[in-house]
Amino acid sequence: KNSIMKGNLFSNKFYYYILIISFFSFGCVYFNTFYNAEKYFKEGMKTIEETAIGEGDDIPSKAKTQLEKAIHKCNIVIDEFPDSKYIDDAYYIIGKAGFYRSEYTRALKSFNILIEDFPESEFVNESKIWRAYTQFKLGELDSSKFILNELLFQKKLSKDNKYLIYTALGDISLEQDSIQKSFDYLDLAVENATESGKRISVYNKIINLAKKEKAFERAIDYLLLLEKQSDSKTVRKNARLKWIDFNKRIKNYDIILQEIDIMLGTAE
């Protein structure tokens, strides 16, 4: 009788341990899946930052691949672990990654789900801005502009949210050929940027716009700011070469010659 009781006790303990191990294994799997999604997304954004000074809005193919991997991992979290606490995070990453990959329909769907199904999420306010920005990219210019201006006057708006709104309004103004307004909004975006990557992104927009408008003095100023902000040798070198090019266009030859002498003496 005692042997049977001991056997049952052992079985119950063994079953209990298996349950505990299974629970923690399940938690580790979905956490690792989401962790990898975050990692791929951050790597993609870093690749975009390190290849600044580009023409247009297209991102490098390497970044597209990294962001697609992030989306894939997020979809696994959503499909296989629908009750996990990272579901709203997953939709948020899919939305932003889709936006940067110019997959605006995918991005809009993800932001809509997050806003409608997860109203208590910490990402709701920012997702409303991203949704309006995405709608602009899909051609809904007037309604997007109206929504962004409404969101701008919300109480307790964070600097990050202001940065995103001003960046979007800068793009919209450019689409409407309001060049000075676009410069003004992008300058406000810079003022509210809390990270170097965000500042670099806006500097690049301003430089490309200044080049298009032949406002070379403005472009030169922002190239210097971008160069100071970046820790990438490639970005700094490309910024300095563009700085020389723009100075040539306004015939600042003495400054260029001085700069070349300095450059020849550096390791880079």
Side-chain angles (χ1 to χ4, degrees):
K1 196 170 181 179
N2 287 337
S3 296
I4 293 170
M5 287 178 66
K6 285 179 181 177
N8 288 338
L9 185 62
F10 175 79
S11 297
N12 289 338
K13 282 184 176 179
F14 180 75
Y15 180 69
Y16 177 69
Y17 290 139
I18 291 295
L19 280 177
I20 291 174
I21 291 167
S22 298
F23 174 78
F24 282 110
S25 296
F26 175 84
C28 287
V29 168
Y30 87 72
F31 175 77
N32 285 337
T33 305
F34 177 71
Y35 170 81
N36 286 328
E38 270 195 320
K39 180 172 75 74
Y40 285 130
F41 180 77
K42 288 176 181 176
E43 287 173 355
M45 297 309 296
K46 187 66 177 174
T47 300
I48 293 170
E49 179 185 329
E50 288 175 348
T51 50
I53 317 291
E55 304 289 342
D57 294 327
D58 202 25
I59 64 173
S61 58
K62 181 182 176 182
K64 287 183 179 180
T65 300
Q66 290 164 327
L67 294 176
E68 181 57 36
K69 286 180 179 178
I71 291 170
H72 174 67
K73 292 294 183 182
C74 284
N75 280 327
I76 292 175
V77 172
I78 291 166
D79 294 338
E80 297 186 14
F81 312 105
D83 297 323
S84 85
K85 65 179 181 179
Y86 297 111
I87 295 294
D88 59 329
D89 302 65
Y91 280 116
Y92 181 65
I93 288 176
I94 291 172
K96 291 207 295 182
F99 182 94
Y100 283 108
R101 282 175 53 86
S102 300
E103 296 171 350
Y104 300 119
T105 301
R106 173 192 259 180
L108 185 62
K109 179 182 177 183
S110 200
F111 290 131
N112 278 334
I113 292 172
L114 196 158
I115 292 163
E116 292 164 13
D117 294 354
F118 302 91
E120 302 303 317
S121 170
E122 63 181 295
F123 306 114
V124 164
N125 288 336
E126 190 169 333
S127 292
K128 288 177 180 178
I129 301 168
W130 278 111
R131 180 170 66 178
Y133 201 173
T134 306
Q135 287 169 330
F136 156 64
K137 293 290 188 179
L138 288 168
E140 300 175 31
L141 192 151
D142 291 333
S143 60
S144 173
K145 183 177 179 181
F146 178 79
I147 292 166
L148 288 166
N149 276 304
E150 275 201 329
L151 291 170
L152 189 58
F153 292 101
Q154 282 186 330
K155 291 181 180 178
K156 297 181 180 178
L157 198 65
S158 71
K159 286 178 73 72
D160 285 330
N161 286 350
K162 288 180 182 178
Y163 155 82
L164 185 55
I165 292 173
Y166 286 131
T167 301
L169 289 171
D171 281 358
I172 292 172
S173 296
L174 183 58
E175 186 70 19
Q176 294 178 319
D177 292 325
S178 300
I179 305 302
Q180 188 54 53
K181 270 191 177 181
S182 184
F183 277 130
D184 292 342
Y185 281 130
L186 293 175
D187 283 337
L188 287 168
V190 170
E191 287 179 19
N192 286 279
T194 57
E195 301 167 11
S196 62
K198 291 178 178 179
R199 282 187 284 273
I200 288 170
S201 175
V202 183
Y203 290 158
N204 200 40
K205 282 178 179 288
I206 294 171
I207 291 161
N208 286 331
L209 177 55
K211 179 184 175 183
K212 181 182 174 184
E213 296 301 310
K214 301 190 187 308
F216 297 118
E217 290 88 351
R218 186 189 290 259
I220 287 166
D221 290 341
Y222 276 96
L223 279 165
L224 292 173
L225 290 170
L226 188 150
E227 189 179 347
K228 290 176 182 176
Q229 198 69 220
S230 177
D231 58 3
S232 165
K233 288 184 179 180
T234 302
V235 170
R236 291 202 302 269
K237 182 188 77 172
N238 290 340
R240 187 50 51 138
L241 291 174
K242 275 204 172 186
W243 180 91
I244 289 172
D245 179 43
F246 293 160
N247 272 294
K248 278 170 63 180
R249 297 187 190 211
I250 57 176
K251 301 182 179 181
N252 283 338
Y253 300 127
D254 289 341
I255 293 173
I256 295 170
L257 290 171
Q258 289 171 16
E259 184 57 30
I260 290 173
D261 280 340
I262 294 169
M263 289 175 70
L264 290 173
T266 65
E268 288 186 22

